[in-house]
Amino acid sequence: MDARKRQVLEALIDDYIATAEPVGSRTLAKKYGLGVSPATIRNEMADLEDLGFLEQPHTSAGRVPSDKGYRYYVDEIMRPLVLDLAERQRIRQAYQVRVRELHWFIHQTARLVSELTLYPSLVVAPPVEQAALTDLSFVPLGQDTVLMVLKTSTGMVENQTLLVPEEFDSDKLKSLAEDFTQEFRGLAIHDLKNRILDPLQGDVKRYPELWQLALKWVTGHDGDEDKVSLAGPLNILNYPEFRDVDKVRRVLGFLEKETAVELASRYYAEGVQVVIGAESSLDDIQDCSLVTATYRVGGSVVGHLMVLGPRRMHYNRVIGIVEAVSDELSRVLHG
Amino acid sequence: MDARKRQVLEALIDDYIATAEPVGSRTLAKKYGLGVSPATIRNEMADLEDLGFLEQPHTSAGRVPSDKGYRYYVDEIMRPLVLDLAERQRIRQAYQVRVRELHWFIHQTARLVSELTLYPSLVVAPPVEQAALTDLSFVPLGQDTVLMVLKTSTGMVENQTLLVPEEFDSDKLKSLAEDFTQEFRGLAIHDLKNRILDPLQGDVKRYPELWQLALKWVTGHDGDEDKVSLAGPLNILNYPEFRDVDKVRRVLGFLEKETAVELASRYYAEGVQVVIGAESSLDDIQDCSLVTATYRVGGSVVGHLMVLGPRRMHYNRVIGIVEAVSDELSRVLHG
DNA sequence: GTTTAGCACTCTCCTTTCAGGAGTGCTAAG
DNA sequence: CTTAGCACTCCTGAAAGGAGAGTGCTAAAC
């Protein structure tokens, strides 16, 4: 893998990313200043194909990068694009208005990323289920409704309206909230739910009224709702590889399913990860690549951010954007 | 327009809805027990074409209903399908779990409708902007954040987190909330916002601290967010008329834009409305039909519910579903 | 008068064929 | 090692032809 091969590979991938057409030796020689003739490039391309970096759709077409080719490009050749001023500003301003509302953060992030990258983007919120309870209070709303406000160790706030017996007045609720916080503080939400649902724990007897309320919460609470935000799915339609409606259905279907969330969480390692084509071993997105990033609150990874595009994705640009956004998000979440 | 013409029209539309293929006289004679020969049906079809109810894609194809044909079918022939037990139960159970959270209601409704109809569905929430303020309270969350809980005359609750100066302690907030409610109760949210933004009103001077808080609310509050829920957009991909990606883009683009919401609100008349093809005079959805319905709280229309599908939509089924769901939604919102 | 069988006609759709073009690999010369 | 030349392959798009579906019309049957 000498320098010229790398040059050829880079030029070819750049061209293919831009045009979506198989790239021939003549094109490469003409458009990119490689200083050699098409014939020479042909030889290099044949070598690159032997090495597994390129593929030929058919004998007399140009070449197309293989998964392995993209992988080499991403790992060894390309460098993340530095965003221009306007884009950096846009990212900085995106989070200025509101505060502390989980679903707003992820919604905003997903939109921001998909608008900047022109690809669909999925943002997975901090898994509330795993965060620990830090504080809980009840706010009376009407004579039989109450707002339950729950704070977690990841700094997020969750609200949920509950129906309560009428005899729960303001003072009663206050003392119940204190009991609840006292008893359960520090427990992960997930464990807390299990404990509430388990009659053997004895909570039923010790706090009959509180337990009744808590049960309403658990049964009414859909842990997954609002935790994922998808933006810009239609962007996918702008790329010629998605001319086929069946393909569109598979890919967008994937984004709407649980699989996408799972996959995002699978790449748990800090920082930006790239998954190219078949590397995901998911049939539905064989022809797609993913760029995922994590964001943090107080040093630990709490959520994921994912961009999905065709295999010939603008990796350098997307990686640059995803890095910038996840950094900014971590920053504002920390503050 | 004699009885047999109606029969032929009905059979033809039923068949076209089922198959998406132009319907020929032979098919009609064979599949539907009309008791006459293809030749007779041909004559009827020629008449129906003269009347503008049918169209011929080309000389030697079968016939296809025109907008006018569908219109006659919807208004004069078809009757809403009565849902079966399982479906009715499903609708009844859909709203049992949670209470009073606006975004949850519309989200749930959109999902329910799209799953039952197999078409995309859009639900527009009661316009909070137009509802009157009935009550307001602040809940301290941390040393500098506070949850603002706002109740409206449509019975909905809105929450928003605000950043506040540290000197606003619990008692202070309580008295501020009382002042606020006292002063502004009964005002439409929309007017309230304008008033807060208008320095000439004198609120700045009279309630400097409160006004500061209110301003944060107004500027941080995106009136439209969470007010619209789209479900099942991908359903559209299952219909052969949307093989073409450009068409898909136009239609799904329409659903994501403000236009769709506007359109839904345009059909403000109580009950179910059907818009067929070009009747909407919107280019993007020339080949689509819409079924809209309204739902009510305390007797007055507050929101809209919309189903979008190909022109050959299962009108009877969709209308039945939309009626049932909007009734149920009105019922639970009232309670 | 209405209904129907028969038939010629039209138009689409699918397949086949064919030429053009792009790109390759190989060979041999620079 | 590089490059020009050339035969070869394979896709693509246009043109041509046949099959099939469905029609409208005419004339006979009810």
Side-chain angles (χ1 to χ4, degrees):
Chain A
M1 202 63 189
D2 56 32
R4 196 171 61 192
K5 279 199 180 44
R6 291 172 51 126
Q7 267 194 314
V8 170
L9 183 59
E10 179 172 12
L12 190 144
I13 292 187
D14 284 345
D15 200 76
Y16 187 66
I17 287 179
T19 65
E21 298 290 335
V23 187
S25 53
R26 228 179 80 88
T27 316
L28 235 39
K30 221 173 25 181
K31 283 213 282 191
Y32 303 83
L34 300 176
V36 288
S37 77
T40 309
I41 295 182
R42 273 207 288 288
N43 290 329
E44 296 287 20
M45 283 163 78
D47 289 351
L48 285 167
E49 184 169 355
D50 288 344
L51 290 167
F53 292 126
L54 299 181
E55 282 166 1
Q56 243 176 331
H58 53 83
T59 348
S60 78
R63 254 82 167 199
V64 159
S66 66
D67 283 0
K68 190 176 167 192
Y70 284 121
R71 172 53 64 199
Y72 188 85
Y73 175 82
V74 167
D75 289 346
E76 311 286 341
I77 301 180
M78 167 222 85
R79 51 194 48 212
L81 202 72
V82 177
L83 304 189
D84 68 29
L85 189 64
E87 291 169 327
R88 289 206 306 276
Q89 256 172 3
R90 170 122 189 245
I91 293 173
R92 214 170 320 119
Q93 283 164 4
Y95 299 107
Q96 280 185 354
V97 183
R98 289 226 200 165
V99 276
R100 298 285 97 183
E101 293 201 49
L102 184 51
H103 73 273
W104 183 81
F105 273 118
I106 62 171
H107 182 79
Q108 184 77 351
T109 305
R111 224 184 48 183
L112 180 65
V113 171
S114 82
E115 284 177 8
L116 287 171
T117 60
L118 304 177
Y119 298 112
S121 148
L122 190 81
V123 176
V124 182
V128 177
E129 300 285 304
Q130 281 163 42
L133 175 72
T134 56
D135 187 49
L136 180 133
S137 55
F138 295 113
V139 186
L141 291 179
Q143 78 270 41
D144 61 350
T145 45
V146 67
L147 184 73
M148 173 174 181
V149 182
L150 185 148
K151 280 181 283 180
T152 67
S153 54
T154 50
M156 287 297 143
V157 175
E158 280 224 333
N159 307 318
Q160 185 177 342
T161 320
L162 300 176
L163 277 175
V164 297
E166 300 207 6
E167 72 264 23
F168 282 26
D169 62 15
S170 181
D171 291 341
K172 180 87 188 166
L173 284 170
K174 193 159 183 181
S175 86
L176 282 176
E178 275 162 18
D179 288 352
F180 199 109
T181 308
Q182 186 75 27
E183 187 71 16
F184 298 122
R185 186 197 302 265
L187 229 59
I189 304 295
H190 180 256
D191 297 335
L192 175 53
K193 283 189 178 179
N194 281 341
R195 175 147 163 200
I196 289 169
L197 288 173
D198 180 1
L200 295 180
Q201 288 284 353
D203 297 326
V204 193
K205 285 186 202 133
R206 251 185 303 159
Y207 310 100
E209 290 171 321
L210 180 59
W211 183 83
Q212 192 184 358
L213 214 59
L215 197 65
K216 273 186 197 292
W217 164 57
V218 174
T219 52
H221 186 72
D222 176 357
D224 276 330
E225 193 174 284
D226 265 356
K227 289 210 324 217
V228 175
S229 184
L230 171 65
L234 298 187
N235 281 332
I236 207 78
L237 300 177
N238 295 326
Y239 301 96
E241 33 271 272
F242 298 95
R243 274 289 151 75
D244 178 20
V245 173
D246 287 333
K247 214 181 213 173
V248 172
R249 185 182 343 190
R250 282 207 303 275
V251 171
L252 293 188
F254 162 78
L255 284 175
E256 292 197 342
K257 267 183 306 198
E258 216 40 37
T259 337
V261 179
E262 257 166 51
L263 192 66
S265 325
R266 199 199 295 172
Y267 295 91
Y268 218 81
E270 185 106 2
V272 176
Q273 307 268 323
V274 178
V275 183
I276 296 161
E279 291 177 359
S280 70
S281 18
L282 291 173
D283 277 352
D284 288 346
I285 51 164
Q286 286 285 302
D287 298 333
C288 297
S289 283
L290 298 168
V291 175
T292 67
T294 53
Y295 56 92
R296 301 169 298 283
V297 170
S300 57
V301 170
V302 290
H304 300 268
L305 193 160
M306 171 167 140
V307 176
L308 181 141
R311 255 184 348 217
R312 51 168 201 104
M313 191 190 265
H314 285 90
Y315 293 100
N316 53 358
R317 192 171 151 68
V318 171
I319 292 174
I321 290 169
V322 147
E323 273 178 353
V325 171
S326 63
D327 283 353
E328 178 67 10
L329 183 57
S330 300
R331 207 177 62 73
V332 295
L333 285 181
H334 193 77
Chain B
M1 202 63 188
D2 57 31
R4 196 170 62 194
K5 277 199 180 44
R6 291 172 50 123
Q7 267 193 314
V8 170
L9 183 59
E10 178 171 14
L12 190 142
I13 292 187
D14 284 345
D15 200 75
Y16 187 66
I17 288 179
T19 66
E21 298 289 335
V23 186
S25 54
R26 227 179 80 89
T27 316
L28 235 38
K30 220 172 28 181
K31 283 213 281 189
Y32 303 82
L34 299 176
V36 289
S37 75
T40 308
I41 294 180
R42 275 207 287 286
N43 291 328
E44 297 287 20
M45 284 163 78
D47 289 350
L48 284 167
E49 185 168 353
D50 289 342
L51 290 167
F53 293 126
L54 299 182
E55 283 165 359
Q56 243 176 331
H58 53 84
T59 349
S60 78
R63 253 84 168 197
V64 160
S66 66
D67 283 0
K68 189 175 168 191
Y70 283 121
R71 172 54 63 198
Y72 188 85
Y73 175 82
V74 167
D75 290 347
E76 311 285 343
I77 301 180
M78 165 223 86
R79 50 194 49 212
L81 202 74
V82 177
L83 304 189
D84 68 29
L85 189 64
E87 291 168 328
R88 288 207 305 278
Q89 257 172 0
R90 169 121 190 248
I91 293 173
R92 216 171 317 119
Q93 283 164 3
Y95 299 107
Q96 281 185 355
V97 183
R98 289 226 200 165
V99 277
R100 297 286 97 183
E101 295 200 48
L102 184 51
H103 75 271
W104 183 81
F105 273 118
I106 62 171
H107 181 81
Q108 184 77 349
T109 305
R111 225 185 47 184
L112 180 66
V113 171
S114 82
E115 283 176 7
L116 286 170
T117 60
L118 304 179
Y119 299 113
S121 148
L122 190 80
V123 176
V124 183
V128 177
E129 301 285 305
Q130 280 163 43
L133 174 73
T134 55
D135 187 49
L136 181 132
S137 55
F138 296 113
V139 186
L141 290 180
Q143 77 269 44
D144 60 350
T145 45
V146 65
L147 184 73
M148 172 172 181
V149 181
L150 185 148
K151 279 182 282 181
T152 68
S153 54
T154 50
M156 286 298 142
V157 174
E158 279 224 334
N159 307 319
Q160 184 177 343
T161 319
L162 301 176
L163 276 176
V164 297
E166 298 209 7
E167 71 264 25
F168 281 25
D169 62 14
S170 181
D171 291 340
K172 178 87 187 169
L173 284 169
K174 193 160 181 180
S175 86
L176 283 175
E178 275 164 17
D179 289 352
F180 199 110
T181 307
Q182 186 75 26
E183 187 72 15
F184 298 122
R185 186 197 302 264
L187 229 59
I189 304 295
H190 179 255
D191 298 334
L192 176 53
K193 283 188 178 180
N194 280 341
R195 176 150 164 198
I196 289 169
L197 288 172
D198 181 1
L200 295 179
Q201 289 284 353
D203 296 326
V204 195
K205 284 186 203 130
R206 250 185 303 157
Y207 311 99
E209 290 170 322
L210 179 59
W211 183 82
Q212 190 185 359
L213 214 57
L215 198 64
K216 273 186 198 291
W217 164 57
V218 175
T219 53
H221 186 72
D222 175 358
D224 276 330
E225 192 173 284
D226 266 355
K227 290 208 327 216
V228 174
S229 185
L230 170 65
L234 298 187
N235 280 333
I236 208 77
L237 300 177
N238 295 326
Y239 302 96
E241 34 271 272
F242 298 95
R243 275 288 151 74
D244 177 21
V245 172
D246 288 332
K247 215 180 210 173
V248 171
R249 184 179 336 172
R250 282 206 305 275
V251 171
L252 293 188
F254 163 79
L255 284 175
E256 294 198 340
K257 267 183 306 199
E258 217 39 37
T259 338
V261 178
E262 258 167 49
L263 191 68
S265 325
R266 198 200 294 173
Y267 295 91
Y268 218 81
E270 187 105 1
V272 176
Q273 307 268 323
V274 179
V275 183
I276 297 161
E279 290 177 0
S280 69
S281 18
L282 291 173
D283 277 352
D284 288 346
I285 52 165
Q286 286 286 301
D287 298 333
C288 297
S289 283
L290 299 168
V291 175
T292 68
T294 53
Y295 56 91
R296 301 169 299 283
V297 170
S300 57
V301 170
V302 290
H304 300 268
L305 193 160
M306 170 168 140
V307 176
L308 181 140
R311 249 175 6 208
R312 52 169 200 103
M313 191 190 267
H314 284 91
Y315 294 100
N316 55 357
R317 192 170 151 68
V318 171
I319 292 174
I321 289 169
V322 148
E323 273 178 354
V325 171
S326 62
D327 283 352
E328 177 68 11
L329 182 57
S330 301
R331 207 177 62 72
V332 294
L333 285 181
H334 192 75

